Amino acid sequence: MVNFRALYGLVFLSVLFLSNSLIKVSAAAEKPREELMVVQTVSSDRRSFVMAKGVKDGVMRGQEIIYANENVSILCKAVEVNRNYSLWTPVDKNVNVPFNKEEFISYNSHAYGNVALDIVGDIYNLTPEVNYDILFKKFRTSDNFSLKASFDQGLSQSSSDVSADKNSKRSGYTFALEYNFRFLPEFEINTGGRIDNEVYRLSNPNLDIPTSRVMATVAATYHFVAFSKDKNNFYLTLAAGIGKSTTTISDEKSTGVVTLLPEARFGYLMPFSNSVAMIFEGSVESLSAHESFQNGTTQVTNILNAKITIGLRF
């Protein structure tokens, strides 16, 4: 006959042993540990912050963790989690985040309260408000340089000693270097210089006439950063300038003063690192040149140009 009492005893001892093993494993797994981490960013209202720990590190949405610096410790809850990052808020709604961006704080992995295992939702949507004025301060709050190259196309031209039916559209290119004084994230003053080289053709007789200019420029720029949702932004610039113009006609040169008043630019600034940004511009400018030949003859030329520009800010 089967000894049921012995069988029950054996089963009881097996269950007891298994339960004891599971408790030890669970206790080992839940053993608190601390490590130092860097705060990635803090929201402007100081109600949330981002850490570089995500699903791959075992962080789950709803998890509660103690974060601390040398002055204070707070209990925080993970409200959004993706693979590499997590967004945290203090559990106490009356507590603001006492940490700053790039500050080292301690991360205590001991969980408090109920741990939510809801990772089925949108785990790739982190929603902290990034301060682009700080992250890209080179192009938002600091001075910088611009180096640009433009393709110029004449829209209209009038010359004092050339009949209107003989004028033709001119084309050319421009190189410019500017220094940008940033007063506010929205406003800056630009000073610099540019070199122009253009050619236009007379229709009768057929003749190519090159013109070169060297000018100093000053401009004011408004950046539409308040309307930007990322690191890029549009901007509007009004510029003026003065310099020297030289035109060559059949090996005879005329030189004089050229003025730029005004130039209107509409541009797009696109940082691709913290120190270098691409710029794209479309602009229209009005030029007036008063040139004299060696025999004393004076020629006044008024030009309206359209420009397409690409360049770098650094």
Side-chain angles (χ1 to χ4, degrees):
M1 294 180 64
V2 178
N3 190 339
F4 288 102
R5 183 172 296 179
L7 181 60
Y8 288 154
L10 181 60
V11 171
F12 175 78
L13 290 176
S14 299
V15 171
L16 182 63
F17 177 80
L18 181 59
S19 299
N20 187 51
S21 300
L22 290 175
I23 291 172
K24 290 182 178 180
V25 170
S26 177
E30 294 182 356
K31 183 179 180 180
R33 61 186 177 85
E34 286 192 11
E35 58 181 294
L36 287 178
M37 299 190 64
V38 179
V39 178
Q40 300 299 305
T41 188
V42 179
S43 64
S44 59
D45 61 0
R46 306 199 71 83
R47 288 297 304 155
S48 61
F49 61 101
V50 172
M51 302 296 292
K53 269 190 175 294
V55 175
K56 68 179 181 62
D57 304 300
V59 176
M60 300 177 185
R61 188 175 179 181
Q63 186 172 358
E64 294 180 357
I65 293 292
I66 290 180
Y67 286 98
N69 59 17
E70 59 185 10
N71 298 315
V72 65
S73 300
I74 58 173
L75 179 62
C76 300
K77 183 176 182 179
V79 294
E80 295 289 346
V81 182
N82 69 11
R83 176 176 173 77
N84 299 303
Y85 296 92
S86 51
L87 177 67
W88 299 82
T89 60
V91 172
D92 188 342
K93 297 185 181 300
N94 297 317
V95 175
N96 290 329
V97 175
F99 315 131
N100 297 314
K101 182 177 181 292
E102 298 181 351
E103 179 183 356
F104 282 93
I105 62 175
S106 67
Y107 168 98
N108 190 324
S109 64
H110 187 78
Y112 288 79
N114 296 324
V115 178
L117 300 179
D118 180 16
I119 60 174
V120 181
D122 183 9
I123 64 174
Y124 297 99
N125 181 27
L126 294 179
T127 57
E129 182 179 341
V130 179
N131 191 333
Y132 291 107
D133 290 348
I134 296 177
L135 192 59
F136 293 95
K137 64 180 181 179
K138 181 73 173 180
F139 311 111
R140 291 292 181 94
T141 58
S142 301
D143 299 346
N144 53 70
F145 287 93
S146 296
L147 182 62
K148 301 185 288 187
S150 308
F151 172 74
D152 310 343
Q153 181 66 53
L155 299 177
S156 65
Q157 173 182 309
S158 64
S159 299
S160 58
D161 59 350
V162 179
S163 60
D165 61 343
K166 292 184 179 181
N167 280 316
S168 178
K169 291 183 179 180
R170 64 172 60 217
S171 60
Y173 56 88
T174 297
F175 295 105
L177 177 65
E178 292 180 330
Y179 185 76
N180 309 302
F181 298 90
R182 199 65 170 252
F183 295 104
L184 295 170
E186 296 84 4
F187 293 101
E188 69 182 7
I189 296 296
N190 323 96
T191 62
R194 59 183 256 186
I195 298 175
D196 299 357
N197 283 282
E198 295 179 350
V199 174
Y200 74 96
R201 289 183 172 87
L202 290 177
S203 57
N204 187 19
N206 293 326
L207 181 64
D208 288 348
I209 300 178
T211 298
S212 61
R213 308 183 197 95
V214 177
M215 286 190 290
T217 60
V218 61
T221 299
Y222 179 81
H223 290 267
F224 296 93
V225 293
F227 303 95
S228 175
K229 296 182 179 180
D230 55 24
K231 61 185 178 180
N232 308 328
N233 69 268
F234 289 97
Y235 60 89
L236 181 65
T237 301
L238 292 177
I242 188 170
K244 179 181 178 181
S245 176
T246 302
T247 300
T248 304
I249 304 176
S250 300
D251 296 327
E252 186 177 356
K253 293 184 177 181
S254 61
T255 60
V257 176
V258 60
T259 56
L260 168 68
L261 189 66
E263 179 189 12
R265 312 171 192 161
F266 186 71
Y268 187 67
L269 187 149
M270 185 175 65
F272 56 85
S273 75
N274 291 340
S275 58
V276 181
M278 292 288 295
I279 50 177
F280 306 92
E281 292 179 354
S283 59
V284 177
E285 65 180 15
S286 176
L287 296 163
S288 180
H290 296 253
E291 298 176 344
S292 299
F293 292 91
Q294 291 182 350
N295 60 10
T297 303
T298 300
Q299 176 175 284
V300 179
T301 304
N302 296 306
I303 304 165
L304 184 65
N305 280 342
K307 303 163 69 75
I308 297 177
T309 303
I310 188 172
L312 294 174
R313 281 205 179 206
F314 53 93

